[in-house]
Amino acid sequence: VGGLTSVHRWLHFFHNSLLTPTTTMAVARSLCPQALRVLGSAPARLQPVVRAFSSASSSSSSRGERQKLLFTPGPLTTSKAVKEKMAKDVGSRDPDFIAVVKQIRERLLKIAEVSPEEGYECILMQGAGSMALEAMLTSSIPRTNGKLLIVSNGTYGERQEKICERAGIPFIAARNPWNEPITAALVEGLLEKYSGEGISHVSMVHHETTAGVLNHLEQVGRMLKEKHSEKRFIVDSISSFGAYRLPAKEWNVHYLAGSGNKCIEGVPGFAFVIAHRDSMLAAEGSSRSLTLDLQDQWQFMQKSGQFRFTPPTQSILGFEQALTEWEEEGGLAGRSGRYQKNYETLAAGMVKLGFEFYVKDDASRGYIITTFQVPDAEKDKWDFNVFYDKLKDRRYVIYPASLPPASASSAAAFRVGNIGQLFQSDVEEFVKEVEVVLKEMGFSVPMKA
């Protein structure tokens, strides 16, 4: 094979041809090592073919094994190129690595449609998305005259309550049904109800992964700007950033938290906060933690370009590649478009098999992850662990349900993600395998309502 362009031409041929999987594997084994090394840089729509080629060319020790596909909300299936980008060591104080950190911060701001000139900053934090969330909450609420209204509809909103309890941050919790979205009218009513409580900040989740509900973030932000402009708006966008539009300034968002291993399709290891600079500096000295001090982390990065403490160097290198792939796929339009196709294919297929949606309103369901329920008539026979293991044996990894403890349906439900390096063809194959598994478990297909 002459080079990258030639390899991609061959990939296009296989992708558009009617070759059987066996023939494709045979051709893959015949490719020279030089060709296999550049497969990871193929366009997004060809990644399913790349996976087949990579599997076919693997060592004999792994022969017979197929790469697991993670139908989860993250960690998720990543591209070959992202994995390869992490396969080297780099010094955390090295100028090359510092340059990577700098351009990642700049590119994340662009996704949020803001810039330092518009008064916004991006701060990278070591750890999972929850670490960025905790850094954001514990550094943004002033120690005096600060109180947070947490409006939640799932476990991730309720996690904010636990953070505030541990940190001693005054807050009011407003819990809502897990299968209904948070609306501007709801938040406005809560602020009226608690008008004498001295609320200074309002927080919510953009996409609540618990049930797969998309909350009305834009409407809430605009309402706050119009009627409660003195209040700062805090957003957990960990599972939505990069797949849903979130123009921070336009929507009056003062703080948002995101993660490297969600819709940008990197790996776990670090997260980030995008903050309105003046709001952040007004709360300087409020942090309840040393390692999660948002302002201190930002100040140090501004002066040195470095993390205060050891950064996850390989995760950041992989994320740089993931950002490039996000951009090459068409940015927000391309990434969200693929996820929407995945969701639509999944939803249609699962309904045909007899599954039901936990979130009944179509408009309230996001396309990141979906909660499915087994029909009442079949619940007595349902065994999630058997269902999970059988799908895993076929290389498909799903997610258990996370429904309210009082919900009788929690044992007969599960979640399926649509993000990561998953494509419509993957989802179609997944649905076919679900049908096979249901029959093996003794269910009629479609299941009885």
Side-chain angles (χ1 to χ4, degrees):
V1 178
L4 180 62
T5 302
S6 298
V7 174
H8 287 175
R9 284 174 182 164
W10 277 105
L11 285 173
H12 277 284
F13 167 73
F14 291 122
H15 180 73
N16 294 319
S17 71
L18 298 177
L19 292 180
T20 65
T22 301
T23 306
T24 301
M25 289 295 186
V27 175
R29 291 191 184 98
S30 72
L31 283 177
C32 64
Q34 291 88 343
L36 292 170
R37 277 197 290 271
V38 299
L39 289 177
S41 61
R45 78 183 195 90
L46 297 177
Q47 285 301 319
V49 186
V50 171
R51 286 201 299 265
F53 278 38
S54 299
S55 176
S57 61
S58 60
S59 65
S60 58
S61 63
S62 61
R63 189 168 296 153
E65 295 182 7
R66 300 175 70 194
Q67 179 180 331
K68 293 286 190 295
L69 295 183
L70 306 185
F71 282 72
T72 65
L76 34 73
T77 302
T78 56
S79 74
K80 188 173 187 289
V82 166
K83 296 180 181 72
E84 290 179 342
K85 193 68 179 288
M86 297 187 295
K88 67 176 183 179
D89 298 318
V90 61
S92 62
R93 311 299 187 192
D94 183 82
D96 290 344
F97 180 73
I98 292 172
V100 170
V101 171
K102 181 177 184 293
Q103 56 95 352
I104 284 176
R105 294 173 66 198
E106 293 170 350
R107 292 161 84 180
L108 288 172
L109 285 172
K110 287 181 181 178
I111 295 175
E113 300 181 35
V114 290
S115 66
E117 292 72 26
E118 294 175 289
Y120 282 81
E121 302 289 351
C122 179
I123 307 98
L124 307 187
M125 302 295 298
Q126 298 95 324
S130 292
M131 281 67 172
L133 178 66
E134 185 163 342
M136 180 172 67
L137 291 173
T138 57
S139 300
S140 62
I141 315 298
R143 289 179 179 271
T144 57
N145 300 320
K147 179 177 279 191
L148 177 64
L149 172 64
I150 303 171
V151 189
S152 68
N153 58 341
T155 57
Y156 293 93
E158 292 177 11
R159 181 173 297 174
Q160 297 185 25
E161 299 174 26
K162 296 178 182 178
I163 291 172
C164 290
E165 286 174 356
R166 290 288 186 96
I169 296 172
F171 71 95
I172 294 172
R175 296 184 177 183
N176 299 278
W178 288 15
N179 57 354
E180 297 177 11
I182 295 170
T183 65
L186 171 64
V187 177
E188 185 176 2
L190 289 168
L191 289 172
E192 183 177 345
K193 177 181 178 181
Y194 298 114
S195 59
E197 295 286 341
I199 292 170
S200 59
H201 294 64
V202 176
S203 71
M204 62 182 282
V205 177
H206 187 190
H207 173 271
E208 177 51 82
T209 312
T210 308
V213 174
L214 183 67
N215 292 317
H216 296 190
L217 182 64
E218 177 182 0
Q219 293 86 343
V220 173
R222 293 187 186 280
M223 181 276 296
L224 290 173
K225 184 176 182 179
E226 178 184 350
K227 300 182 178 181
H228 299 276
S229 60
E230 77 286 357
K231 293 176 174 42
R232 307 295 89 178
F233 191 23
I234 300 175
V235 176
D236 173 349
S237 62
I238 290 170
S239 70
S240 62
F241 193 87
Y244 282 97
R245 184 169 180 247
L246 204 175
K249 184 177 181 180
E250 182 182 333
W251 291 3
N252 190 45
V253 174
H254 299 89
Y255 300 89
L256 68 84
S259 176
N261 64 287
K262 300 292 185 179
C263 298
I264 305 296
E265 299 184 359
V267 302
F270 84 99
F272 54 88
V273 174
I274 292 176
H276 180 249
R277 187 191 309 115
D278 289 348
S279 299
M280 177 176 64
L281 293 179
E284 192 168 12
S286 299
S287 179
R288 283 76 172 174
S289 167
L290 170 64
T291 59
L292 299 178
D293 188 323
L294 192 66
Q295 291 87 347
D296 199 24
Q297 184 90 332
W298 175 71
Q299 297 279 14
F300 195 84
M301 281 190 167
Q302 288 297 100
K303 292 176 182 177
S304 67
Q306 303 172 12
F307 286 73
R308 291 177 299 156
F309 310 108
T310 303
T313 50
Q314 279 80 10
S315 294
I316 289 171
L317 293 178
F319 189 75
E320 180 190 21
Q321 173 63 28
L323 272 173
T324 296
E325 293 177 6
W326 184 89
E327 292 161 355
E328 290 176 347
E329 190 172 359
L332 182 65
R335 186 59 53 89
S336 64
R338 173 160 61 87
Y339 289 172
Q340 283 179 282
K341 278 187 179 178
N342 288 351
Y343 163 73
E344 290 164 1
T345 303
L346 176 71
M350 297 296 273
V351 167
K352 284 183 180 179
L353 297 179
F355 289 105
E356 300 171 351
F357 295 109
Y358 173 68
V359 180
K360 305 302 182 187
D361 178 28
D362 291 353
S364 298
R365 287 196 297 271
Y367 47 75
I368 303 298
I369 193 168
T370 308
T371 300
F372 293 102
Q373 292 179 301
V374 177
D376 287 341
E378 304 277 22
K379 284 181 179 178
D380 290 343
K381 293 196 300 181
W382 182 254
D383 188 323
F384 172 76
N385 291 330
V386 172
F387 183 68
Y388 179 93
D389 289 342
K390 284 181 174 291
L391 283 175
K392 183 181 176 182
D393 288 344
R394 290 163 167 80
R395 79 167 180 155
Y396 299 104
V397 178
I398 62 171
Y399 228 50
S402 179
L403 301 182
S407 174
S409 63
S410 59
F414 58 93
R415 290 178 287 174
V416 181
N418 308 297
I419 64 175
Q421 283 284 292
L422 299 177
F423 301 82
Q424 188 173 0
S425 59
D426 297 318
V427 180
E428 290 168 350
E429 290 300 317
F430 170 80
V431 172
K432 290 178 184 177
E433 294 296 338
V434 170
E435 180 176 0
V436 173
V437 167
L438 287 176
K439 290 177 179 177
E440 287 184 2
M441 293 174 68
F443 290 96
S444 58
V445 178
M447 291 183 287
K448 299 174 183 176

